[in-house]
C-alpha cells in the first residue's frame, strides 16, 4: 500500500531565534540563488503531461502563434472565448482570408495560405495550446476534414474520461472492507452504558379484554366527559334567537321555447316594438298616397333621425345566443396553476431580515442575487425610528447573497459591501457585473468573473483528509477566513463626495448603442464606430438622479484631470500570475464619479422630492444560447449560458424619466443638457415636469413599464394601484383602491396584458382587464405573514419559474403553468385598447366639464358665495357658542370658589379676619338681591345686555396683543422682505462664538472649590510619597521587539523588502560598495550609524 502526503498536513517549521549572524558574502548569495533555480527546474521537469494525446502527430494539424489583436478579430481571445477547459472553437474562414488580404506580408497565416485556400469548409477548427512558460499564445489549426474528424474523436474520448473521472470521484464503487485500524477509533467514540439498566415491573389484570366483547355507540352528548367548554374570562356571550322564518318562493318566469328571451339594454317608460309586423294593402287610393307624401315631406327630418338611431342602437339583444356563439363571451377565464418547487433561505444570516431587492442573472439560468435588510421600502413603521446609524453600520449584518438552483440551502457567493445595500441590478450586457446601491448613497461594483466556477469546483479529498481539515478548522475558529472562495469583495466603490446623499432606490441601464455625455446630452453611437457603452442611472431619496459610466477613465485630480498609473520600476508589465481574476474596474475604486446629475423638484417649489422608483425607456436585451444542444434533457439545476445579441434601439432619443416618490407622486420629468461642458466635476441640471399626479395614499413602492407598450406604466403605492398613460396629463387612466396594502406590482413577462399585485396579507392578485376590470381575475394565497415582491425568471425554460419573496426573508420558487404564458395578438392589445378608450372618455369628460364651468361661471360663483356665507355664519355661531360656554364655566368656577371660601375653616390665630370676610361676602350677596328686587331687574337680562360691551373689550385686548406681537416681529419681517426682494444683498451673518468666560459661579462657590482642590492635592501627594514606583527598562527586549515589528512590516520572515531587493541587485551589479551593515535572514537591514542605507522611516523601530 502506497502512502501520500496530505495536502492540508502542516509542516513543522523551525522557529527562528533572534541572534546575530555573520554577514553573507556576495558569492554565498549567488550560490543560494543558483541552487533555488536548479530546484525549480527539477520540479518543472517532473510535471506530468496533461493528457496522453498528442495533437502534433495528427496529420493535417499545424501549430501557429496568434497575436492578441488577431485573436480579437477572429473571436478566439484567450481566457474569454477559449480557455484551458474549452480550448477548441470554430472560426469563420472568410475572417482568415480577409486577414491574408489585408496583411499579405505580415499575416500569421502566410505559411499555411495554400492549405487554407484548399480547405472546402466554411469554418476552421482552432485549438488553444495550454502550455506554461510561453510568451506567445499558440493555437492548433485543422487544415483538412480528416484532421477535424480526428480532433472531434479525441475530444469525445477526453470528455468521456472526464465524465467518468468526475463520476468516480463523486460516486465511488462499493468495495470490500479492508481493516486499517479505524474501527478502534470508532469504538472509542461510541457511547457506552456504564451502569446497569433499570428493571421495571408492570402488573395488569388478566385477561385484559375478554373474548366476548360487544361494541356500542357512545355519543358525546350522552357522556358527562364528552366535551368541555373553554371560554375566555370576563367575556359575555349574547345569544341571538331567530324570530323570522325565511320561505323560498319561485319567482323566475317560465321560459317559452319558441321565442327568444331578451333583456332590454336601454330601459324606456314606453313600449318599443321589436319586430315590424304589417299586412300589405293593395287597395290604396290616390288620396292616401298624396297624404302620405305630404306627411313624409313634413316629418322627414324626425323620421331620418329615428331610423338612424334604430339602425345604430339595438334595443333588444339576444344575450343567450351571444354567450354560446361569440368567442369573447364563451371563453372561460384561465386560472393560474402554480406549483411550489423550493425556497432559498440562509437561516443564520437572514433571520429577522427581508429581501430588499433581488435581481435575476440575465445570461445564466438559475442564478439570482438577493440583498437583505431589516427595513424594506414597502414596510411601514408604527413608531418614530430611534436608531444609531453608526452602531447599525458596524454591528448589523445585511448580506448580499448569490443563490443557485443547484443548492437551495447555502448561497453560492457572499458579496461584501461597506454599508447596507438597498438595491441591486445585474448588467444585461456583461455577465460578470453586478451593481448595488447603498443606504448612504454610494454605488458598488462587484465583478464575479470565475467566482462561481471556483466555488463549484469540487476538490477530491480522502476521508482522512476531510477529517483532518474539519479538525483543523474546529481548532482555529478564532481566525478570520480571508481565503474563502465564497466571499467576493467589491471591485469598486463610488466616491462619497459625489454620490447620493440618501438611500439609493433604483438602478436602470442604458442601451449600449447610446451614451449620455458629461454635458447631459443623449447621443446615438454611429454605426461606423465599433464600440459600446456600459452606462446606468441611479435614483435616490435625496431627489437626485445620477448617470454613471463603467468604461470612463477615473478622475482623481482637481478640475477633472486623470492621474496616470505609476509605472513599475523593475518590470515592464505585471506578471501574468498577479493578473488572474483581477477586475478591470479596480481602477475605479474610491474615485468612481457620476457623469451628470438631475434634480427632481416639486412643481412651483424648490423642495426636492424623495424618489422611490425610477423607469427609463430601453430596448429589451435579447440573448441566444451560448452552447446550444438539441438533445439536452430538461434539468432546472443545470445552468445554461446565454450571450447577448446587441440590437440598436428603434425608438427616438428622449431625455425623459418616469419617477415615483415616497409621497405618492407620479412624475414624468425631462432635461435638455448643455451645449458645452461647464468644466465642473459633475454637471447638474434641474428637470422640467411634464406630467404630475398624486393619487396614492402611500409611498410608490413599485413602478413597472410595459415592455410591449412603453407609454403604459403601472404604479403601486399604499392601498392604491394605478395605470398611467404618458400622453394623458394629470390623471391615471385607471386606478383602484383595496382594503389591503400593496407591496409590489409588475407586468407579466409572458403575457403583456396581465399584471400581478402582491399584498401585505400574503395574497397575489392576477389582473386581466380584458376579462374584467372591476376586480382581479384570480387570487392566490402564498404566505400568512405577507408577500414582499414577485419576479419571473427572465430566460426561457421548459418550465417557467416565478420567484416570490415573503416577510421571513425567503425566496420561494414556483413552477408556472404554460397556459398562462401563451398570448394571442388580440390578448396583447386588449389592455392597451381599454386604456386608450378610458383616456379618450376622460378627456371628453374633462373638456365637457371645463365648458360647463365656463358657461355657468356666474352660477358657480353664486353658489360659492352662498357656501362662504353659510360657512361664515356657522363659524360665527360656533364662536358665540364657545364664548357662552366659556362664560358659563367662569361663572360656575366663581360660584364654586365662593362656596369653598364660605366652607373654609379659619386658620389658628386668624379667626377675626375670617369672620369679617364671611360677613362681607354675605352682606354683598344680600345687597345685590335687595337692589335687584327693588328695581325689578333680572340678572340674566343684564348679562345678555352686557355681552356686546364685554365682546368689545375683549376684541380691543386681542387687537393690542396682535399689535404688540407685530411690533416685536417688525425687524424680522423687514429682514425677510429684503431677503425676498434682494437676495444677493442680504447675507446671513454668522453667529458670534459663545463667550467661554461668560457667567460663572459666585465667589463663595469658587472658594469652596479651591479648598476642596487643596485637600485633594494634599491627599494625592501623601499617596505618591508613600507608594514609590520603580520602572524596569530592558533595552535588549525593546530592540528585539522592534526587530520583530520591522520583519512583520517588511512582509514576513520569508519575503524580502522591495527596497532591500533593489539594494541587493545594485550591490550584485557592482554599482554600490558593500554597506557596513549585515544582511539578516529576516529580509531587513539593521542600521547602526549615519552611514546606513535605510531612511528614517525604514529603521528598526
Amino acid at each position: 500500500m502506497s502512502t501520500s502526503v496530505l495536502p492540508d498536513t502542516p509542516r513543522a517549521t523551525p522557529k527562528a531565534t533572534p541572534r546575530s549572524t555573520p554577514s553573507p558574502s556576495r558569492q554565498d548569495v549567488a550560490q543560494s540563488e543558483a541552487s533555488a533555480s536548479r530546484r525549480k527546474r527539477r520540479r518543472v521537469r517532473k510535471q506530468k503531461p496533461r493528457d496522453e494525446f498528442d495533437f502534433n502527430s495528427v496529420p493535417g494539424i499545424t501549430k501557429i502563434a496568434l497575436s492578441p489583436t488577431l485573436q480579437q478579430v477572429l473571436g478566439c481571445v484567450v481566457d474569454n472565448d477559449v480557455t484551458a477547459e474549452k480550448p477548441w472553437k470554430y472560426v469563420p474562414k472568410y475572417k482568415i482570408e480577409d486577414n491574408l488580404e489585408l496583411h499579405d506580408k505580415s499575416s500569421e497565416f502566410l505559411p499555411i495560405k495554400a492549405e487554407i485556400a484548399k480547405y472546402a469548409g466554411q469554418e476552421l477548427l482552432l485549438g488553444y495550446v495550454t502550455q506554461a512558460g510561453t510568451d506567445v499564445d499558440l493555437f492548433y489549426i485543422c487544415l483538412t476534414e480528416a484532421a477535424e474528424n480526428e480532433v472531434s474523436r479525441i475530444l469525445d474520448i477526453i470528455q468521456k474520461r472526464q465524465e467518468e473521472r468526475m463520476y468516480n470521484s463523486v460516486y465511488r464503487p462499493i468495495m470490500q472492507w479492508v481493516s486499517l485500524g479505524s474501527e478502534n477509533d470508532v469504538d472509542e467514540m461510541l457511547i457506552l452504558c456504564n451502569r446497569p439498566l433499570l428493571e421495571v415491573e408492570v402488573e395488569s389484570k388478566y385477561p385484559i379484554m375478554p373474548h366476548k366483547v360487544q361494541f356500542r355507540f357512545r355519543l358525546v352528548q350522552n357522556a358527562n366527559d364528552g366535551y368541555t367548554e373553554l371560554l375566555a374570562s370576563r367575556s359575555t356571550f349574547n345569544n341571538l334567537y331567530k324570530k323570522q322564518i325565511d320561505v323560498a318562493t319561485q319567482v323566475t318566469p317560465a321560459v317559452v321555447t319558441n321565442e327568444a328571451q331578451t333583456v332590454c339594454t336601454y330601459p324606456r317608460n314606453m313600449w318599443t316594438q321589436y319586430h315590424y309586423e304589417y299586412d300589405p294593402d293593395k287597395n290604396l287610393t290616390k288620396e292616401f298616397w298624396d297624404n302620405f307624401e305630404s306627411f313624409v315631406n313634413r316629418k322627414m327630418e324626425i323620421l331620418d333621425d329615428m331610423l338612424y338611431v334604430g339602425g345604430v342602437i339595438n334595443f333588444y339583444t339576444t344575450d343567450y345566443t351571444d354567450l354560446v356563439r361569440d368567442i369573447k363571451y364563451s371563453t372561460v377565464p384561465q386560472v393560474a396553476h402554480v406549483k411550489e418547487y423550493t425556497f432559498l433561505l440562509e437561516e443564520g444570516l437572514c433571520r429577522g431580515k427581508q429581501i430588499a431587492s433581488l435581481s435575476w442573472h440575465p445570461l445564466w439560468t438559475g442564478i439570482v442575487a438577493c440583498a437583505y435588510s431589516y427595513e424594506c421600502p414597502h414596510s411601514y413603521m408604527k413608531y418614530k425610528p430611534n436608531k444609531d446609524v453608526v452602531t447599525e453600520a458596524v454591528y448589523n449584518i445585511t448580506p448580499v447573497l448569490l443563490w443557485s438552483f443547484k443548492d437551495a440551502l447555502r448561497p453560492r457567493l457572499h458579496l461584501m459591501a461597506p454599508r447596507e445595500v438597498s438595491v441591486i441590478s445585474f448588467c444585461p450586457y456583461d455577465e460578470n457585473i453586478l451593481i448595488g446601491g447603498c443606504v448612504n448613497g454610494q454605488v458598488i461594483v462587484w465583478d464575479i468573473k470565475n467566482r462561481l466556477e471556483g466555488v463549484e469546483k469540487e476538490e477530491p479529498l480522502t476521508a482522512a483528509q476531510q477529517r483532518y481539515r474539519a479538525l483543523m478548522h474546529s481548532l482555529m475558529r478564532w481566525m478570520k477566513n480571508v481565503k474563502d472562495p465564497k466571499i467576493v469583495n467589491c471591485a469598486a466603490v463610488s466616491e462619497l463626495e459625489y454620490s447620493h446623499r440618501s438611500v439609493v432606490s433604483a438602478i436602470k441601464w442604458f442601451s449600449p448603442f447610446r451614451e449620455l455625455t458629461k454635458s447631459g446630452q443623449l447621443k446615438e453611437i454611429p454605426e461606423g464606430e465599433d464600440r459600446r457603452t456600459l452606462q446606468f442611472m441611479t435614483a435616490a431619496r435625496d431627489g437626485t438622479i445620477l448617470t454613471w459610466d463603467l468604461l470612463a477613465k477615473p478622475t482623481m485630480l482637481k478640475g477633472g484631470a486623470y492621474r496616470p498609473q505609476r509605472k513599475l520600476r523593475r518590470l515592464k508589465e505585471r506578471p501574468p500570475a498577479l493578473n488572474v481574476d483581477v477586475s478591470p474596474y479596480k481602477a475605479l475604486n474610491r474615485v468612481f464619479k457620476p457623469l451628470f446629475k438631475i434634480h427632481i423638484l416639486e412643481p412651483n417649489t424648490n423642495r426636492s422630492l424623495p424618489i422611490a422608483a425610477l423607469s427609463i425607456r430601453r430596448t429589451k436585451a435579447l440573448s441566444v444560447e451560448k452552447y446550444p444542444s438539441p438533445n439536452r434533457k430538461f434539468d432546472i439545476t443545470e445552468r445554461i449560458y446565454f450571450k447577448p445579441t446587441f440590437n440598436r434601439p428603434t425608438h427616438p432619443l428622449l431625455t425623459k424619466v418616469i419617477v415615483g416618490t415616497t409621497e405618492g407622486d407620479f412624475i414624468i420629468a425631462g432635461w435638455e443638457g448643455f451645449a458645452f461642458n461647464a468644466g465642473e466635476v459633475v454637471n447638474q441640471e434641474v428637470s422640467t415636469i411634464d406630467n404630475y399626479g398624486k393619487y396614492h395614499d402611500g409611498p410608490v413602492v413599485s413602478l413597472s413599464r410595459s415592455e410591449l407598450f412603453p407609454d403604459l406604466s403601472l404604479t403601486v403605492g399604499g392601498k392604491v394601484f394605478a395605470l398611467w398613460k404618458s400622453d394623458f396629463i394629470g390623471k391615471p387612466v385607471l386606478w383602484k383602491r383595496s382594503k389591503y396594502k400593496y407591496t409590489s406590482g409588475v407586468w407579466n413577462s409572458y403575457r403583456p396584458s396581465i399584471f400581478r399585485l402582491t399584498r401585505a396579507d400574503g395574497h397575489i392578485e392576477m389582473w386581466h382587464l380584458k376579462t374584467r376590470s372591476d376586480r382581479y381575475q384570480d387570487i392566490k394565497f402564498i404566505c400568512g405573514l405577507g408577500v414582499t415582491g414577485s419576479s419571473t425568471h427572465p430566460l426561457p425554460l421548459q418550465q417557467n419559474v416565478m420567484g416570490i419573496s415573503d416577510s421571513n426573508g425567503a425566496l420561494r420558487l414556483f413552477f408556472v403553468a404554460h397556459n398562462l404564458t401563451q398570448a394571442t395578438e388580440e390578448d396583447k392589445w386588449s389592455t392597451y385598447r381599454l386604456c386608450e378608450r378610458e383616456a379618450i372618455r376622460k378627456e371628453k369628460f374633462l373638456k365637457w366639464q371645463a365648458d360647463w364651468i365656463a358657461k355657468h361661471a356666474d352660477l358657480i360663483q353664486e353658489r360659492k358665495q352662498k357656501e362662504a356665507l353659510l360657512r361664515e355664519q356657522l363659524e360665527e355661531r360656533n364662536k358665540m357658542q364657545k364664548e357662552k360656554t366659556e362664560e358659563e364655566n367662569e361663572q360656575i368656577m366663581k360660584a364654586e370658589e365662593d362656596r369653598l371660601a364660605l366652607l373654609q375653616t379659619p386658620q389658628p390665630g386668624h379667626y377675626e379676619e375670617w369672620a369679617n370676610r364671611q360677613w362681607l361676602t354675605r352682606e354683598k350677596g344680600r345687597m345685590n338681591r335687595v337692589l335687584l328686587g327693588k328695581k325689578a331687574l333680572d340678572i340674566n337680562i343684564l348679562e345678555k345686555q352686557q355681552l356686546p360691551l364685554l365682546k368689545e373689550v375683549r376684541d380691543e385686548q386681542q387687537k393690542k396683543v396682535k399689535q404688540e406681537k407685530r411690533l416685536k416681529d417688525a425687524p424680522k419681517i423687514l429682514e425677510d422682505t429684503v431677503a425676498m426682494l434682494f437676495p444677493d444683498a442680504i447675507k446671513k451673518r454668522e453667529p458670534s462664538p459663545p463667550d467661554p468666560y461668560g457667567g460663572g459661579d459666585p465667589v463663595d462657590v469658587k472658594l469652596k472649590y479651591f479648598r476642596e482642590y487643596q485637600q485633594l492635592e494634599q491627599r494625592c501627594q501623601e499617596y505618591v510619597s508613600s507608594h514609590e514606583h520603580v520602572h524596569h527598562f530592558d533595552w535588549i527586549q525593546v530592540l528585539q521587539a522592534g526587530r520583530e515589528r520591522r520583519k512583520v512590516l517588511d512582509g514576513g520572515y520569508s519575503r524580502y523588502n522591495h527596497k532591500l531587493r533593489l539594494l541587493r541587485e545594485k550591490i550584485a551589479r557592482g554599482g554600490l560598495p558593500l554597506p557596513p551593515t549585515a544582511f539578516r535572514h529576516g529580509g531587513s537591514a539593521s542600521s547602526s550609524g549615519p552611514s546606513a542605507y535605510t531612511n528614517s522611516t525604514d529603521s528598526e523601530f
Side-chain angles (χ1 to χ4, degrees), residues 951-1083:
K951 182 181 178 181
E952 185 178 357
V953 173
R954 202 159 40 245
D955 293 343
E956 189 69 24
Q957 292 177 355
Q958 293 178 358
K959 187 176 180 181
K960 289 182 179 180
V961 171
K962 290 181 179 179
Q963 289 178 355
E964 292 177 357
K965 185 178 179 181
R966 189 78 174 175
L967 292 174
K968 186 184 296 183
D969 297 341
K972 187 176 182 303
I973 294 172
L974 177 62
E975 184 179 353
D976 294 342
T977 306
V978 174
M980 182 177 61
L981 297 177
F982 310 100
D984 297 336
I986 300 299
K987 293 184 179 178
K988 194 171 182 180
R989 297 181 180 178
E990 297 181 358
S992 58
D995 186 10
Y997 302 101
D1001 298 326
V1003 179
D1004 52 347
V1005 177
K1006 293 180 180 180
L1007 184 59
K1008 178 183 176 182
Y1009 291 162
F1010 180 74
R1011 291 174 181 173
E1012 291 178 355
Y1013 170 77
Q1014 287 181 340
Q1015 296 175 2
L1016 181 62
E1017 181 183 8
Q1018 185 178 359
R1019 288 199 299 269
C1020 292
Q1021 291 290 345
E1022 293 174 358
Y1023 180 85
V1024 170
S1025 59
S1026 59
H1027 298 79
E1028 295 184 359
H1029 174 68
V1030 180
H1031 180 69
H1032 299 282
F1033 178 74
D1034 190 359
W1035 179 251
I1036 298 176
Q1037 186 178 1
V1038 173
L1039 289 177
Q1040 182 179 355
R1043 293 192 185 97
E1044 294 296 331
R1045 287 196 299 271
R1046 185 70 265 170
K1047 292 175 185 178
V1048 173
L1049 294 175
D1050 288 343
Y1053 291 92
S1054 61
R1055 291 179 293 178
Y1056 294 101
N1057 193 358
H1058 181 65
K1059 183 177 294 186
L1060 294 178
R1061 285 203 302 270
L1062 291 176
L1063 184 60
R1064 188 187 296 272
E1065 291 175 1
K1066 290 181 180 180
I1067 294 172
R1069 291 195 300 267
L1072 290 175
L1074 188 67
T1077 57
F1079 290 104
R1080 303 196 315 275
H1081 64 279

Side-chain angles (χ1 to χ4, degrees), residues 555-570:
T555 55
M556 293 179 286
L557 299 177
K558 294 183 179 180
Y562 170 67
R563 179 187 298 165
Q565 188 176 4
R566 183 175 61 87
K567 296 183 179 180
L568 299 175
R569 299 176 60 182
R570 295 177 60 241

Side-chain angles (χ1 to χ4, degrees), residues 421-696:
V421 178
S422 58
V423 61
I424 54 176
S425 176
F426 274 105
C427 178
Y429 313 110
D430 193 332
E431 58 188 7
N432 300 318
I433 297 177
L434 177 62
I435 304 298
C438 298
V439 295
N440 64 339
Q442 288 183 295
V443 175
I444 302 177
V445 182
W446 288 286
D447 192 348
I448 60 172
K449 184 178 180 181
N450 300 331
R451 293 293 187 172
L452 279 177
E453 291 80 357
V455 173
E456 296 174 351
K457 183 179 180 181
E458 297 183 0
E459 183 180 2
L461 296 176
T462 63
Q465 291 173 344
Q466 293 179 2
R467 288 197 304 270
Y468 180 77
R469 177 171 292 183
L471 177 61
M472 295 303 295
H473 287 177
S474 64
L475 296 176
M476 295 185 295
R477 295 183 184 276
W478 53 272
M479 295 185 64
K480 185 177 180 181
N481 190 1
V482 296
K483 293 185 179 181
D484 192 352
K486 293 185 178 181
I487 297 177
V488 179
N489 294 320
C490 51
V493 181
S494 64
E495 190 171 351
L496 184 61
E497 181 181 357
Y498 300 100
S499 301
H500 293 286
R501 302 300 181 186
S502 185
V503 181
V504 180
S505 56
I507 300 175
K508 298 297 177 182
W509 290 88
F510 283 101
S511 172
F513 295 98
R514 293 180 176 178
E515 64 176 346
L516 191 73
T517 62
K518 288 184 66 66
S519 59
Q521 294 182 348
L522 188 62
K523 295 183 179 181
E524 188 92 19
I525 297 179
E527 296 184 2
E529 298 185 13
D530 187 13
R531 67 183 182 93
R532 300 182 183 95
T533 62
L534 280 180
Q535 294 184 350
F536 60 94
M537 180 177 284
T538 60
R541 296 182 190 174
D542 59 350
T544 60
I545 299 175
L546 299 179
T547 58
W548 310 77
D549 189 2
L550 289 175
L551 302 181
K553 289 185 178 181
T555 55
M556 293 179 286
L557 299 177
K558 294 183 179 180
Y562 170 67
R563 179 187 298 165
Q565 188 176 4
R566 183 175 61 87
K567 296 183 179 180
L568 299 175
R569 299 176 60 182
R570 295 177 60 241
L571 303 175
K572 295 182 179 180
E573 59 182 7
R574 292 170 63 89
L578 298 180
N579 294 326
V580 177
D581 295 339
V582 176
S583 175
Y585 308 103
K586 198 69 176 178
L588 299 176
N589 191 23
R590 303 295 180 184
V591 294
F592 191 27
K593 299 183 181 63
L595 295 176
F596 194 71
K597 179 186 286 189
I598 304 169
H599 295 273
I600 305 296
L601 304 181
E602 187 179 8
N604 303 324
T605 62
N606 292 329
R607 186 174 65 90
S608 298
L609 291 174
I611 302 174
L614 174 68
S615 176
I616 61 176
R617 186 169 182 179
R618 179 178 61 87
T619 304
K620 183 180 179 181
L622 303 178
S623 58
V624 295
E625 193 171 344
K626 201 171 185 180
Y627 309 107
S629 177
N631 300 326
R632 181 188 294 115
K633 295 182 180 180
F634 174 71
D635 185 6
I636 193 172
T637 60
E638 181 183 1
R639 186 174 306 133
I640 304 175
Y641 296 92
F642 289 76
K643 59 182 178 180
T645 57
F646 298 96
N647 300 323
R648 287 187 172 272
T650 57
H651 59 271
L653 292 171
L654 295 176
T655 55
K656 294 184 181 297
V657 294
I658 302 177
V659 298
T661 67
T662 58
E663 300 177 0
D665 305 322
F666 173 84
I667 299 174
I668 299 180
W671 73 96
E672 297 179 357
F674 304 101
F676 57 91
N677 190 359
E680 299 181 1
V681 178
V682 179
N683 296 321
Q684 50 189 335
E685 181 183 351
V686 177
S687 63
T688 58
I689 306 300
D690 298 336
N691 193 353
Y692 178 81
K694 194 179 186 70
Y695 274 79
H696 294 282

Side-chain angles (χ1 to χ4, degrees), residues 50-231:
R50 185 168 183 176
D51 50 48
E52 59 185 14
F53 299 102
D54 187 10
F55 291 101
N56 295 320
S57 61
V58 178
I61 293 182
T62 305
K63 187 184 297 184
I64 61 173
L66 300 181
S67 62
T69 305
L70 185 55
Q71 294 176 20
Q72 189 173 4
V73 172
L74 298 178
C76 56
V77 181
V78 177
D79 294 336
N80 189 8
D81 299 321
V82 292
T83 59
E85 290 78 10
K86 295 183 179 181
W88 293 90
K89 184 179 181 182
Y90 281 96
V91 176
K93 181 180 176 182
Y94 71 90
K95 292 186 177 181
I96 299 177
E97 293 176 349
D98 294 343
N99 182 264
L100 288 170
E101 292 179 1
L102 293 175
H103 309 280
D104 54 351
K105 295 183 180 180
S106 61
S107 177
E108 288 85 343
F109 297 102
L110 281 178
I112 55 174
K113 181 177 181 181
E115 290 82 351
I116 294 174
K118 293 178 182 180
Y119 187 75
Q122 299 296 328
E123 293 180 338
L124 291 171
L125 183 61
L126 267 71
Y128 173 57
V129 181
T130 57
Q131 292 182 358
T134 58
D135 296 335
V136 295
D137 297 328
L138 299 178
F139 287 81
Y140 293 116
I141 181 169
C142 299
L143 300 175
T144 61
E145 293 183 358
E148 182 180 348
N149 296 332
E150 181 65 19
V151 170
S152 301
R153 186 186 67 81
I154 293 174
L155 293 179
D156 293 339
I157 295 174
I158 293 175
Q159 184 178 0
K160 289 181 181 179
R161 289 185 178 180
Q162 290 179 353
E163 291 178 356
E164 292 177 359
R165 192 182 303 112
M166 183 61 67
Y167 182 84
N168 294 332
S169 64
V170 178
Y171 304 99
R172 295 188 177 276
I174 301 176
M175 301 177 66
Q176 187 177 2
W177 174 263
V178 178
S179 178
L180 298 178
S182 61
E183 61 272 9
N184 299 327
D185 299 337
V186 175
D187 293 339
E188 290 179 359
M189 298 300 294
L190 292 177
I191 300 176
L192 302 177
C193 298
N194 298 324
R195 61 175 179 79
L197 300 178
L198 298 177
E199 295 182 0
V200 180
E201 183 179 356
V202 180
E203 295 182 359
S204 63
K205 186 178 179 181
Y206 182 82
I208 299 175
M209 181 180 293
H211 62 280
K212 293 183 180 180
V213 178
Q214 184 178 2
F215 293 96
R216 64 182 183 274
F217 291 103
R218 184 172 182 267
L219 302 179
V220 175
Q221 58 268 21
N222 297 334
N224 294 331
D225 56 348
Y227 62 89
T228 305
E229 293 184 357
L230 300 177
L231 303 179

